Amino acid sequence: MGSFHLTKMSLRNFFKKPATKMYPVVAPTYTKMSKGHVANEIKDCIFCGICENRCPTHAITVSKEDETWTIDNFSCIQCITCVRNCPKKCLTMEPDYTKAAAQKSIITLKKPELTPEERAAKEAADKEKAARIAAAKAAKAARDAEAAAQ
Ligand code: SF4
Ligand code: SF4
């Protein structure tokens, strides 16, 4: 009886489609909830270092001086802490997995150079911000002087 069941099961499995896929030859199917790898829209990054400080596995390194953001995907445990804590919302968890590789690869992204138009817009925005701060400071100084005179 036992050998009959075993033979039946073996024959069934022999003609059944395999339960696994031949990854990476056959591409996997990702769902909305799949956690693959962390991506950074580097042009929006302000290099504050919050993601580096919050990462439990020290997979991220940020350099404000060089304007670079580095991730060791092989140390990442896809916990999404960095994505949740990024103040600029430039980090996302992409559903596709890190490609299979013979060696560990560390990815470094550098902030792209601004175009002349972008640079001009940034300079104008910085100038406007500086003028607003100076005006606020002057108004406060005037208020303080008025209060002191009373
Ligand atoms: S938390 Fe966001 S803005 Fe700050 S360094 Fe990381 S990716 Fe850049
Ligand atoms: S997902 Fe988690 S482990 Fe991966 S880089 Fe972000 S904080 Fe670090």
Side-chain angles (χ1 to χ4, degrees), residues 38 55-57 60 71 76-82:
V38 177
C55 176
T57 61
I60 297 176
I71 186 162
C76 174
I77 54 170
Q78 286 89 16
C79 67
I80 318 191
T81 303
C82 56

Side-chain angles (χ1 to χ4, degrees), residues 4-86:
F4 171 72
H5 274 298
L6 190 63
T7 311
K8 203 169 124 187
M9 198 167 71
S10 302
L11 282 173
R12 198 171 51 224
N13 283 338
F14 190 74
F15 291 107
K16 232 168 61 174
K17 270 168 61 177
T20 53
K21 281 185 180 166
M22 286 287 286
Y23 178 81
V25 178
V26 178
T29 329
Y30 301 111
T31 69
K32 262 203 254 171
M33 298 299 285
S34 296
K35 290 179 182 174
H37 71 275
V38 177
N40 190 352
E41 188 65 63
I42 194 69
K43 69 175 175 44
D44 297 332
C45 179
I46 54 170
F47 307 99
C48 62
I50 291 175
C51 52
E52 177 180 351
N53 293 333
R54 300 280 168 90
C55 176
T57 61
H58 308 292
I60 297 176
T61 312
V62 178
S63 169
K64 200 169 181 65
E65 298 75 45
D66 303 336
E67 296 198 319
T68 57
W69 181 91
T70 303
I71 186 162
D72 176 357
N73 278 319
F74 289 86
S75 293
C76 174
I77 54 170
Q78 286 89 16
C79 67
I80 318 191
T81 303
C82 56
V83 177
R84 287 205 183 110
N85 286 283
C86 175

